[in-house]
Amino acid sequence: MRSSPLLPFLALLLNAFIWGVSWWPFRQLQQIGLHPLWATSLLFAVALAGLLALRPGAWKGLRQPGLWLLLVATGLTNVCFNWAVAIGDVVRVVLLFYLMPGWAVLLAWGLLGERPTRGALLRLALAVAGVLVVLWPAGGVAATALSIADLLAVLGGLGFALTNVLLKRLHAVPGTERMAAMFTGGVLMAGLAAGIGGPFGVVPALPPLWDHGGAMLAVAGLGVAFFLGNMGLQFGASRLPTSTTSIVMLTEVVFASVSSIALGAASLSLRTLLGASLILLASILAARSE
């Protein structure tokens, strides 16, 4: 039976929705003492277990060096983004995260040998200008406006751009093996960052989750959600043009903005709206160029 032509779009929308509203469960878990880094490591352990239960041979692909780099890039993305949305202004974090098209221009040049065109440089300039508008304080130097959440969001966008470039480079690798690398990256990188941050007082110790049955269910639910989201991304992106995929994924900004403003976790200002317009314009132009 032929599947509905709407299914790829719906699959991508599911992925964007899960990422766009994931800030809320991360904050709820943080309130009971489970740091976003520990939560990230645990939820990807659930997702990885589910993948290996369905495809036991998926882990064999990790013997390829390219997948180890994908593992690190994906881990960096999840560590930075999930931590940032748990502690920062959600709209601001998501916008800074979507500086990704700018990073992608530079990374594709260095890793894939794709020299940037004038259009690519224009998109990079638009994205950087949008970030400067969002970050520049009313009466000071730009550096004074940077918070930990801002820095994490920018680094997360860099990791996401590297992930996309590597996925393009590893297109011949089976999807289940790529997923295994991505999930393993979430488990290892987040767990390692949490373990390193503990002795410095940055990350509290992992609390006994058996004392919080709701937390265990929430982590398991997040793991299933991220697993389904990744499945949706693999399904939709493999059946739609890259330009269409990129534009549909921008709905994550909408989901994050509406949910965070409705729940009082973010605020909109004229400066943020102007910066957002420049960043989203850069993303849309990048999608259309492909």
Side-chain angles (χ1 to χ4, degrees):
M1 293 180 63
R2 297 181 60 184
S3 61
S4 168
L6 285 178
L7 283 180
F9 292 95
L10 295 176
L12 290 177
L13 283 175
L14 173 65
N15 182 69
F17 174 77
I18 289 171
W19 278 95
V21 301
S22 63
W23 64 270
W24 187 81
F26 278 116
R27 291 197 177 189
Q28 301 306 305
L29 290 171
Q30 191 173 27
Q31 289 182 2
I32 64 171
L34 183 62
H35 192 276
L37 291 181
W38 288 122
T40 298
S41 183
L42 292 172
L43 75 88
F44 275 107
V46 173
L48 180 61
L51 174 64
L52 294 179
L54 295 174
R55 294 288 188 273
W59 65 272
K60 296 179 180 178
L62 293 179
R63 291 176 291 188
Q64 303 181 47
L67 286 181
W68 278 95
L69 187 53
L70 178 63
L71 181 154
V72 173
T74 307
L76 174 67
T77 302
N78 285 285
V79 165
C80 294
F81 181 79
N82 294 344
W83 193 354
V85 294
I87 64 174
D89 182 292
V90 177
V91 173
R92 184 178 171 109
V93 165
V94 173
L95 289 176
L96 294 178
F97 181 77
Y98 269 93
L99 180 58
M100 180 269 295
W103 295 125
V105 171
L106 302 177
L107 290 171
W109 188 6
L111 295 177
L112 302 177
E114 298 179 356
R115 293 182 62 84
T117 62
R118 291 181 180 179
L121 293 176
L122 172 61
R123 297 192 296 271
L124 176 59
L126 283 172
V128 171
V131 170
L132 289 177
V133 169
V134 173
L135 292 181
W136 202 277
V141 182
T144 61
L146 289 175
S147 65
I148 293 177
D150 293 335
L151 293 172
L152 288 170
V154 172
L155 285 175
L158 174 60
F160 189 40
L162 179 57
T163 297
N164 286 330
V165 171
L166 290 173
L167 286 173
K168 184 175 181 180
R169 189 174 183 177
L170 299 168
H171 66 277
V173 177
T176 53
E177 295 183 6
R178 294 197 304 266
M179 288 176 64
M182 296 169 77
F183 292 160
T184 303
V187 176
L188 295 182
M189 293 288 288
L192 180 62
I196 294 175
F200 296 97
V202 178
V203 180
L206 182 64
L209 293 183
W210 49 85
D211 292 340
H212 302 279
M216 296 180 67
L217 288 175
V219 169
L222 272 175
V224 173
F226 274 75
F227 176 82
L228 293 175
N230 196 292
M231 290 284 287
L233 178 62
Q234 300 277 349
F235 178 83
S238 65
R239 289 164 173 79
L240 294 173
T242 304
S243 57
T244 304
T245 298
S246 300
I247 292 176
V248 174
M249 289 306 297
L250 285 177
T251 57
E252 179 187 336
V253 178
V254 178
F255 291 129
S257 301
V258 172
S259 62
S260 59
I261 292 172
L263 296 173
S267 59
L268 280 181
S269 64
L270 180 60
R271 180 189 298 272
T272 302
L273 287 173
L274 178 58
S277 299
L278 293 173
I279 294 171
L280 294 180
L281 177 60
S283 298
I284 292 172
L285 289 176
R288 289 180 60 84
S289 71
E290 297 181 7

